[in-house]
């Protein structure tokens, strides 16, 4: 069973994969048709998603997020999700093939790369969840604080099926005002929600209220 860190990394990898798919207009159209629909009604998406989702928990979350990314378009992606291209420069190190390569420059032996440190859970939670995204819409896009609060309240109370059906309209409004969710975090939360509904809802509400002004006293 993957660790929490591995699951979160896989969410970002899935998002990057969907962005790549959406670079092809026909694929993007087929993926966007899954908005709000259960997996059983998303046959056009299966050719792109079945291999990556068949045995995953919360499969509908992957289909929902893929359809939302397709709606947004390939240019609207989560910063940091796409890896930077590798440096193509290759150095010949002493003690390997330098002596056998005419004219090859001798350089100091490269040090082994340090072992990657464990991901910091705080870094993940610093990324905006749905509540923080709705708060950003209030702060930067002129969305009504009261109406947005009501929307968030409804979303946290809905059943999973109702939430997946309702999300496209909420996200579409955000996208129209240039507010883009963090797709990886949204995917992770949607996968977790059937098992941790109250905890996910609390995270969304906390993020919203911590990022919006306190109501004025009458």
């Amino acid at each position: 069973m993957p660790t929490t860190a591995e699951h979160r990394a896989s969410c970002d990898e899935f998002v990057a994969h969907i962005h790549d798919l959406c670079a092809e207009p026909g694929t993007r159209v087929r993926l966007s048709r899954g908005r709000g629909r259960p997996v059983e009604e998303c046959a056009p998406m299966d050719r792109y998603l079945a291999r990556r989702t068949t045995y995953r928990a919360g499969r509908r979350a992957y289909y929902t997020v893929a359809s939302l990314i397709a709606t947004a378009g390939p240019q609207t992606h989560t910063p940091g999700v796409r890896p930077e291209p590798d440096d193509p420069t290759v150095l010949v190190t002493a003690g390997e093939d330098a002596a056998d390569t005419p004219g090859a420059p001798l350089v100091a032996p490269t040090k082994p790369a340090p072992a990657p440190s464990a991901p910091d859970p705080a870094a993940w939670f610093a990324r905006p969840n749905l509540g923080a995204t709705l708060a950003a819409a209030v702060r930067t896009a002129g969305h009504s604080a009261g109406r947005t609060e009501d929307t968030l309240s409804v979303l946290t109370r809905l059943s999973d099926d109702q939430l997946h059906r309702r999300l496209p309209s909420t996200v579409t409004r955000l996208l129209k005002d240039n507010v883009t969710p963090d797709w990886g975090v949204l995917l992770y939360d949607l996968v977790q929600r059937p098992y941790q509904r109250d905890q996910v809802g609390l995270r969304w509400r906390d993020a919203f209220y911590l990022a919006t002004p306190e109501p004025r006293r009458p």
Side-chain angles (χ1 to χ4, degrees):
M1 179 177 293
T3 66
T4 298
E6 290 170 341
H7 182 201
R8 290 169 178 168
S10 75
C11 288
D12 281 342
E13 291 168 2
F14 178 83
V15 168
H17 174 65
I18 299 302
H19 282 305
D20 289 339
L21 290 177
C22 287
E24 204 285 312
T27 302
R28 178 186 167 195
V29 169
R30 285 186 284 272
L31 291 175
S32 68
R33 290 174 180 165
R35 286 172 297 184
R37 297 178 179 274
V39 175
E40 295 80 5
E41 299 177 7
C42 296
M45 302 174 71
D46 290 341
R47 65 186 298 185
Y48 307 106
L49 305 184
R51 296 175 183 84
R52 292 175 176 262
T53 66
T54 298
Y55 300 108
R56 285 186 170 180
R59 187 178 183 184
R60 188 174 182 181
Y62 293 89
Y63 277 65
T64 292
V65 170
S67 68
L68 294 176
I69 293 173
T71 300
Q75 73 284 358
T76 309
H77 63 87
T78 301
V81 168
R82 291 178 175 275
E84 294 297 329
D86 293 333
D87 186 353
T89 303
V90 178
L91 294 179
V92 180
T93 58
E96 292 184 338
D97 298 326
D100 301 326
T101 304
L106 291 178
V107 297
T110 56
K111 295 181 180 180
S117 58
D120 181 3
W124 175 266
F125 287 109
R127 292 168 58 175
N129 61 30
L130 183 60
T133 304
L134 291 171
V138 172
R139 296 194 317 271
T140 66
H143 287 207
S144 165
R147 290 182 181 178
T148 305
E149 180 182 7
D150 290 343
T151 296
L152 177 60
S153 178
V154 169
L155 292 176
T156 58
R157 296 198 310 269
L158 291 174
S159 69
D160 290 311
D161 177 67
Q162 292 173 325
L163 176 63
H164 283 275
R165 294 182 184 276
R166 178 73 177 266
L167 265 180
S169 61
T170 300
V171 171
T172 297
R173 186 173 179 224
L174 292 170
L175 294 172
K176 286 181 178 178
D177 290 320
N178 298 314
V179 179
T180 305
D182 185 317
W183 304 116
V185 173
L186 180 60
L187 174 57
Y188 179 82
D189 285 347
L190 292 179
V191 171
Q192 296 300 311
R193 192 176 187 268
Y195 317 101
Q196 300 179 347
R197 178 173 167 178
D198 292 341
Q199 292 93 323
V200 171
L202 179 61
R203 288 203 301 269
W204 289 357
R205 293 194 303 273
D206 283 348
F208 178 81
Y209 290 118
L210 290 173
T212 51
E214 187 172 356
R216 295 180 180 179
R217 295 182 179 179

